[in-house]
Amino acid sequence: MKAAQLLDEGHALKRHSWKNPGYITKDKEGVIVFFDHNEPSVYQLTAEDALASDWEASAKDNWKIVSVSHDRELMEGRLFISYHIRSENEGHILNNHIVPQEELSLWSTYVDLDLEESARHLNEQDVATVQHTLSA
């Protein structure tokens, strides 16, 4: 099935007949998730979906990191890094997210993270931190 191959290659898919916005994609553990432009949820494949011929490629949300926050947690005294994200899909700005450093790599499987555009908003150290986080 071509849809399964596209998911394995990292593409996003949606059914032409779907009324709800969003798409499915496969995360790093091989779990198929539905991303509604806000948060992911495990996708439950129905028999109708499995046999459907109206699957089509979908553009993933495009995320730009617009700032990096470096905060110290008061109780534990450790550095807490979070990323402030601007989310866009097909030219429409959807919402903003704050993503903790330890979750950025996982979230990057649901969306297209535009590092080149993000670098315009960040300093060199923050760009290096993002690249290191994604490669870990």
Side-chain angles (χ1 to χ4, degrees), residues 38-55:
N38 190 36
E39 63 182 344
S41 59
V42 174
Y43 176 70
Q44 299 294 325
L45 183 71
T46 64
E48 179 184 348
D49 287 341
L51 300 172
S53 60
D54 66 341
W55 286 104

Side-chain angles (χ1 to χ4, degrees), residues 51-70:
L51 300 172
S53 60
D54 66 341
W55 286 104
E56 57 189 32
S58 176
K60 289 183 177 181
D61 288 3
N62 184 296
W63 277 18
K64 293 174 188 74
I65 299 173
V66 294
S67 69
V68 178
S69 177
H70 304 267

Side-chain angles (χ1 to χ4, degrees), residues 3 7 15 32-33 43 63 73 80-81 95 112 119 124 134:
L7 284 174
R15 288 197 50 203
I32 298 174
V33 296
Y43 176 70
W63 277 18
E73 288 190 32
F80 179 77
I81 299 174
N95 51 28
D112 286 329
E124 289 180 24
L134 292 174

